[in-house]
Amino acid sequence: MHHLSTPSSLMLRRFCCLATPSFSSSAAAVFSTSVASLTPPSGRKKKLVFLGSPSVAASVLETLLDASSASNSIFEVAAIVTQPPSGRDRGRKVLPSPVAQHALHRGFPADLIFTPVKASEEAFLSDFRALEPELCITAAYGNILPTKFLKIPSLGTVNIHPSLLPLYRGAAPVQRALQDGVKKTGVSLAFTVRALDAGPIIAREEIEIDDNIKAPELLDLLFAQGSKLLIQELPSIFDGSAMTKAEAQDDSKATLAPKISQEESWLSFDEEASVLHNKVRAFAGWPGTRARILVIDEKSDKRSELELKVITSRVYRGSDVQSSEDDEVTFRKGSLIIPCGRNTALEILEVQLPGKKVVNAAAFWNGLRGQKLKKLTS
């Protein structure tokens, strides 16, 4: 069982430079209105424990901390549970999770930030039980919650899940939805049960998405919407009515969103351009998408293989699409055009070479100094 030690001033300064979405005035107004009819008994606020790890979860924590500090708030954030510190930057320095960093930046007590490797650890469960939490809120925590944990909070555990449950249950709901090319998605508030993302749904919010939004942007958007939804529903969760109104999921309509692997990041230009574009959007952030390109110097007849990270793409809409059998990569109006399966083409706007910065297609093309490019399909 690990508590988080107080970070160095350097770490705090570094964190201060990171922009964290703030609790909007509209969300504050919603919360203030929602809780106006609820008065804390004998001045005692209900104990809420927040579980989350990445930066999108830090935005949810921000919302909860702001709401808890309102004059008429009926709850307090009694503790925070997050993933242990890990080496995340290029120097592989061991840093607290974004949620832990944000909590410390807000002045949250370090001894109330818990970082168990597994939520099933007896020492952690003992400390957690001693808090006597009434409600837990999870947002991208990244750890399985055992039955022993779920039995502790008297009002249950509620998860903010970035999909329209029962669709896309699992570790990568936003990424898999984008990979499938969905036109709409959303966020769900659901009680946590032992089965994967299968608990009763308290509320859902649906949003339409465009063809070019990437996973990191959509994650930010959905967790921001989820925070607002949570604030709206907290009074009903605290008075117990949410448990009564929550709707059971239709398991027959469930789809899975399995964890993404590094091996999936390769693009195969035998596939249709829309499939590849959706993959680029879905895997943006991590693990990214990679392609193999053949570079030909016609003067020396030298050929070399290049690994290229595709950062931004779109489906080419021109009427002059080359046959996919034509392997040549061309450059038009600021974009690389790569012929793909079924007479489609992918337009690539931004790329990154290994160890280099992201550049636009024009800068990359100019750097070739007249060398030709051909696609490699395997």
Side-chain angles (χ1 to χ4, degrees):
M1 152 85 231
H2 308 277
H3 290 284
L4 201 67
S5 60
T6 306
S8 68
S9 57
L10 175 63
M11 187 180 299
L12 283 176
R13 280 201 302 274
R14 179 176 295 161
F15 181 73
C16 288
C17 297
L18 303 176
T20 304
S22 61
F23 183 54
S24 68
S25 56
S26 59
V30 166
F31 182 78
S32 186
T33 304
S34 301
V35 300
S37 60
L38 294 173
T39 306
S42 307
R44 188 185 75 77
K45 294 188 174 187
K46 294 180 182 292
K47 292 182 179 180
L48 180 152
V49 173
F50 177 75
L51 298 90
S53 299
S55 57
V56 286
S59 70
V60 179
L61 175 61
E62 171 87 351
T63 301
L64 286 169
L65 290 173
D66 283 345
S68 69
S69 64
S71 59
N72 58 351
S73 172
I74 60 168
F75 76 95
E76 64 178 346
V77 179
I80 293 166
V81 185
T82 188
Q83 293 277 29
S86 63
R88 288 192 310 279
D89 65 359
R90 283 187 180 180
R92 303 306 293 169
K93 291 179 182 176
V94 177
L95 296 172
S97 75
V99 159
Q101 289 189 54
H102 186 68
L104 292 164
H105 179 59
R106 286 282 304 242
F108 197 83
D111 62 339
L112 292 176
I113 300 174
F114 298 94
T115 60
V117 175
K118 292 184 178 180
S120 57
E121 292 173 14
E122 285 302 328
F124 163 68
L125 288 173
S126 176
D127 286 347
F128 180 63
R129 198 174 290 111
L131 287 168
E132 298 183 340
E134 282 147 290
L135 176 67
C136 288
I137 300 294
T138 62
Y141 170 46
N143 215 331
I144 294 170
L145 299 177
T147 302
K148 282 182 179 180
F149 177 98
L150 296 174
K151 285 180 177 179
I152 293 172
S154 56
L155 293 170
T157 296
V158 173
N159 181 42
I160 299 177
H161 187 78
S163 81
L164 296 172
L165 289 171
L167 301 179
Y168 298 105
R169 294 176 178 175
V174 168
Q175 293 90 335
R176 297 303 184 187
L178 287 179
Q179 192 177 5
D180 288 346
V182 300
K183 301 298 182 187
K184 65 179 181 181
T185 186
V187 62
S188 305
L189 284 186
F191 284 105
T192 301
V193 296
R194 272 299 281 152
L196 181 68
D197 298 322
I201 297 168
I202 301 165
R204 271 185 301 210
E205 179 114 4
E206 183 179 295
I207 65 165
E208 292 185 359
I209 54 174
D210 66 42
D211 293 337
N212 293 309
I213 193 169
K214 297 177 182 177
E217 301 165 68
L218 186 52
L219 276 162
D220 286 344
L221 179 62
L222 291 176
F223 276 100
Q225 290 296 110
S227 297
K228 291 178 183 176
L229 201 58
L230 173 64
I231 294 302
Q232 289 172 12
E233 296 296 332
L234 268 180
S236 69
I237 296 170
F238 280 128
D239 70 19
S241 60
M243 185 70 81
T244 306
K245 75 170 185 179
E247 295 180 3
Q249 293 187 40
D250 183 347
D251 290 343
S252 68
K253 294 180 179 178
T255 60
L256 294 178
K259 187 178 179 180
I260 295 166
S261 69
Q262 186 83 43
E263 290 70 36
E264 292 181 77
S265 66
W266 290 105
L267 297 177
S268 172
F269 295 112
D270 291 338
E271 294 185 287
E272 285 187 56
S274 59
V275 172
L276 299 179
H277 172 58
N278 288 335
K279 193 171 185 178
V280 171
R281 296 193 297 141
F283 292 6
W286 194 92
T289 41
R290 296 175 289 167
R292 292 186 180 95
I293 300 290
L294 188 64
V295 182
I296 304 170
D297 188 333
E298 292 185 320
K299 292 177 182 177
S300 63
D301 202 29
K302 183 182 177 184
R303 294 171 176 242
S304 57
E305 189 176 309
L306 193 64
E307 182 183 310
L308 205 58
K309 199 167 184 179
V310 178
I311 305 298
T312 304
S313 66
R314 62 185 172 214
V315 177
Y316 182 62
R317 300 298 182 188
S319 57
D320 55 342
V321 175
Q322 300 163 270
S323 164
S324 60
E325 281 74 44
D326 185 346
D327 293 341
E328 189 171 350
V329 177
T330 56
F331 179 75
R332 301 177 213 177
K333 296 180 180 178
S335 301
L336 298 172
I337 310 294
I338 302 185
C340 302
R342 296 199 177 184
N343 292 325
T344 61
L346 187 68
E347 197 172 340
I348 296 176
L349 287 76
E350 290 182 306
V351 298
Q352 185 177 18
L353 290 167
K356 303 291 185 181
K357 292 181 179 179
V358 173
V359 296
N360 61 34
F364 169 72
W365 186 260
N366 291 337
L368 291 170
R369 302 181 187 279
Q371 296 178 105
K372 283 191 170 183
L373 297 181
K374 284 194 174 184
K375 67 177 186 181
L376 291 171
T377 54
S378 61

